[in-house]
């Protein structure tokens, strides 16, 4: 026989293995410390990345500024070269015209003069942001302007007063000096612009190098953060997989355990049913077998008491009367016990039964007792249909009403009344109330057990089986019984039974 012995405890599957590869996801102070460290690592990385980004942005701006300066310097240099060429060309054509008097030299000379002015203006605008260069441009402008003035004076003298007048003017050497002065200004400005160009070049190279370092550093930090994220994600995934595996194992173990327990309980319940059936069968046969000898004892005792009474002394009479009384009571006990045992052996078919008819029969059967006790028995006319067994229902309500008639108060007219109501879950509840002696609440359970009585035979006769029959019979009909009672005020027994299904028309 299997028994419900203590099972070994479930494996401790949820505790964290000490060598698990995902300890960062674990709980406890270690886990919390790792979480804090990870967070701090991320925060630091982001701060570093932000700082590097700001630095890189700054270097990019410097680089751009230097590149702009470089382009500007190159344009200034181009402009200066252009001016130098234009002055030289004006000089050549001016001289050609003076020597040959050919008008063919005059046109390119004037073209050059016409170009020099806007070029000078453009140059001044280009250097407007640099005070030193701007001052040089103004000086250049003055020098070139003076040279152009001299050009024009010589031409005017040539054209109005002839070659000799122009020659005299040239001989003063003013024009040559002015040209040399203009070239010096151009050289000075070129030299300063070259300086600026080199400075911008250096600045650009330095900014470019710093920008490269910043991008490289950013890439390193980014790669580190990405690696950290990868490691954390892999560990989390591993931890989740492990937890899932543990859960599945635990579920499987639990399921197996539940199945084992269920099988065990079913087996125990079958055993109990078998034992109970054996016990009932035993008590049935014992009661049955006891009945015949008991009847014999009772019969012979009665014959003795009747036929030989005169020849007995008082003691003998008393003994014989006690034998008759005791054997009669025992006979009743055996009958009730047999009745109770028969309940378990009875094959019942639950079907719709009209309670009104059941109670009508009971009223007829108990009418002599009702009359004898002077009780008022109220039974409602509209009692419902229930799903049950006619005999079990008859036994149940006979016993309850019979008890109500028995456990009455001698000084108060007895009132027994039945009532009923529908309960929510497809059942009906029928109550049997009396105004009798009542029952103390501590006996509410006990009185439903076989042979349990609260009074002796002299006070109230009985066998202590009536309520056991009521409980067993209602249970067999998928119902239940309970009570409310106050000592001295009366008792109400409630019987709940399945309502009969409504007949569809
Ligand atoms: P019996 O009536 O044969 O003694 P029961 O099983 O019917 O056996 O009742 C058990 C005990 O419950 C009774 O002895 C009695 O003390 C108590 N009892 C039952 N019904 C009532 C009632 N209506 N009022 C007071 N006591 C009751």
């Amino acid at each position: 026989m299997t028994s419900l012995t203590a099972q070994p405890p479930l494996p401790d599957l949820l505790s964290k293995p000490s060598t698990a590869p995902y300890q960062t996801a674990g709980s406890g102070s270690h886990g919390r410390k790792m979480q804090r460290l990870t967070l701090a690592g991320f925060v630091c990385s982001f701060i570093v990345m932000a700082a590097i980004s700001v630095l890189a942005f700054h270097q990019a701006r410097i680089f751009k500024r230097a590149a702009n300066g470089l382009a500007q310097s190159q344009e200034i240099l181009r402009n200066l070269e252009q001016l130098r060429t234009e002055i030289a060309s004006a000089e050549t054509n001016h001289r050609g015209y003076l020597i040959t008097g050919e008008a063919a030299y005059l046109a390119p000379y004037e073209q050059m003069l016409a170009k020099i002015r806007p070029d000078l203006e453009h140059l001044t605008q280009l250097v407007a942001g640099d005070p030193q260069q701007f001052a040089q441009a103004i000086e250049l402008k003055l020098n070139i302007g003076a040279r152009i003035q001299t050009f024009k004076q010589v031409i005017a003298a040539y054209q109005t007063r002839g070659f000799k007048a122009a020659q005299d003017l040239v001989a003063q050497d003013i024009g040559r000096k002015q040209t040399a002065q203009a070239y010096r200004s151009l050289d000075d400005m070129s030299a300063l612009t070259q300086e600026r160009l080199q400075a911008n070049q250096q600045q650009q190279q330095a900014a470019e190098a710093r920008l490269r370092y910043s991008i490289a550093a950013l890439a390193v930090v980014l790669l580190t953060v990405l690696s950290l994220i990868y490691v954390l994600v892999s560990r989390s995934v591993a931890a989740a997989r492990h937890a899932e595996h543990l859960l599945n194992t635990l579920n499987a173990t639990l399921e197996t355990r539940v199945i084992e327990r269920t099988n065990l309980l079913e087996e125990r319940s079958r055993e109990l049913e078998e034992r109970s059936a054996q016990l009932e069968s035993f008590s049935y046969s014992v009661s049955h077998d006891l009945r015949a000898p008991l009847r014999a004892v009772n019969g012979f005792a009665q014959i003795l008491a009747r036929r030989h009474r005169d020849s007995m002394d008082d003691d003998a009479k008393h003994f014989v009367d006690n034998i008759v009384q005791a054997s009669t009571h025992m006979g009743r006990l055996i009958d009730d016990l047999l009745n109770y045992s028969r309940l378990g052996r009875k094959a019942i078919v639950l079907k719709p039964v009209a309670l009104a008819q059941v109670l009508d029969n009971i009223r007829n059967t108990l009418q002599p007792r009702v009359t004898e006790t002077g009780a008022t028995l109220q039974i409602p006319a509209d009692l419902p249909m229930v799903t049950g067994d006619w005999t079990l229902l008859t036994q149940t309500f006979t016993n309850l009403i019979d008890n109500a008639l028995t456990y009455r108060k001698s000084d108060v007219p007895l009132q027994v009344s039945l009532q009923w109501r529908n309960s929510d879950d497809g059942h009906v509840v029928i109550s049997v109330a009396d105004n009798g002696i009542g029952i103390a609440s501590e006996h509410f359970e006990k009185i439903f057990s076989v042979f349990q009585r609260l009074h002796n035979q002299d006070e109230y006769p009985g066998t202590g089986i009536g309520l056991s029959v009521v409980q067993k019979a209602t249970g067999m009909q998928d119902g239940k019984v309970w009570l409310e009672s106050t000592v001295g005020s009366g008792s109400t027994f409630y019987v709940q039974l399945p309502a009969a299904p409504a007949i569809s028309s």
Side-chain angles (χ1 to χ4, degrees), residues 203-493:
Q203 214 174 23
Q204 194 187 23
Q205 280 163 3
E208 192 183 348
R210 280 198 288 269
L211 198 60
R212 278 214 190 96
Y213 292 141
S214 306
I215 289 169
L218 204 62
V220 169
V221 178
L222 206 66
L223 274 177
T224 313
V225 170
L226 282 177
S227 312
L228 191 64
I229 289 173
Y230 175 77
V231 170
L232 287 177
V233 168
S234 326
R235 286 187 176 190
S236 299
V237 169
R241 283 212 189 110
H242 181 75
E244 194 186 338
H245 172 72
L246 286 183
L247 213 62
N248 287 342
T249 316
L250 193 64
N251 271 345
T253 315
L254 272 175
E255 262 172 39
T256 318
R257 187 65 54 81
V258 167
I259 291 168
E260 279 172 17
R261 290 270 168 156
T262 312
N263 290 343
L264 212 57
L265 281 173
E266 276 173 4
E267 202 177 314
R268 287 302 306 271
S269 143
R270 264 197 308 278
E271 279 173 21
L272 276 174
E273 272 170 23
E274 273 169 28
R275 279 165 171 238
S276 156
Q278 282 169 4
L279 219 62
E280 271 180 12
S281 149
F282 173 74
S283 72
Y284 179 81
S285 53
V286 167
S287 320
H288 192 266
D289 294 351
L290 278 178
R291 218 148 61 143
L294 191 68
R295 279 212 182 112
V297 171
N298 184 265
F300 285 121
Q302 281 190 33
I303 292 170
L304 212 60
R306 223 175 26 247
R307 289 196 197 161
H308 303 283
R309 196 163 192 89
D310 297 341
S311 56
M312 289 183 200
D313 61 12
D314 285 346
D315 275 355
K317 279 181 197 162
H318 177 68
F319 294 147
V320 170
D321 286 346
N322 273 353
I323 292 171
V324 171
Q325 214 178 355
S327 58
T328 307
H329 179 61
M330 199 165 171
R332 250 188 254 128
L333 271 175
I334 287 174
D335 284 346
D336 281 356
L337 198 59
L338 265 176
N339 191 20
Y340 180 78
S341 302
R342 266 191 209 114
L343 276 183
R345 303 159 73 91
K346 181 172 151 51
I348 54 156
V349 182
L350 300 179
K351 57 184 180 186
V353 179
L355 267 187
Q357 283 178 19
V358 174
L359 266 301
D360 228 28
N361 280 3
I362 295 174
R363 184 202 287 274
N364 289 338
T365 313
L366 291 178
Q367 192 53 49
R369 291 255 294 135
V370 173
T371 313
E372 174 203 329
T373 53
T376 312
L377 176 60
Q378 288 177 332
I379 299 175
D382 64 344
L383 280 170
M385 297 282 291
V386 294
T387 301
D389 175 87
W390 176 279
T391 314
L392 295 183
L393 288 169
T394 304
Q395 275 177 319
T396 300
F397 288 103
T398 304
N399 287 2
L400 289 177
I401 296 172
D402 191 54
N403 277 352
L405 294 171
T406 304
Y407 300 102
R408 63 183 185 278
K409 288 196 285 192
S410 52
D411 50 344
V412 178
L414 178 62
Q415 286 190 337
V416 183
S417 73
L418 268 75
Q419 284 181 342
W420 74 277
R421 63 180 161 85
N422 282 313
S423 71
D424 301 337
D425 48 356
H427 286 76
V428 291
V429 177
I430 304 103
S431 61
V432 180
D434 64 56
N435 59 344
I437 58 172
I439 305 163
S441 58
E442 65 262 30
H443 301 311
F444 282 4
E445 265 188 48
K446 175 180 156 183
I447 55 173
F448 288 102
S449 304
V450 179
F451 295 141
Q452 289 299 332
R453 307 203 64 234
L454 304 179
H455 309 279
N456 60 39
Q457 286 302 322
D458 299 336
E459 287 176 294
Y460 297 100
T463 56
I465 291 178
L467 287 181
S468 317
V469 170
V470 169
Q471 192 177 52
K472 192 165 185 178
T474 47
M476 287 167 75
Q477 295 169 101
D478 301 329
K480 61 179 179 181
V481 58
W482 71 98
L483 75 144
E484 286 170 2
S485 182
T486 312
V487 176
S489 301
S491 313
T492 304
F493 284 80

Side-chain angles (χ1 to χ4, degrees), residues 2-10 257 260-261 264 268:
T2 336
S3 64
L4 279 172
T5 47
Q7 294 282 319
L10 284 172
R257 187 65 54 81
E260 279 172 17
R261 290 270 168 156
L264 212 57
R268 287 302 306 271

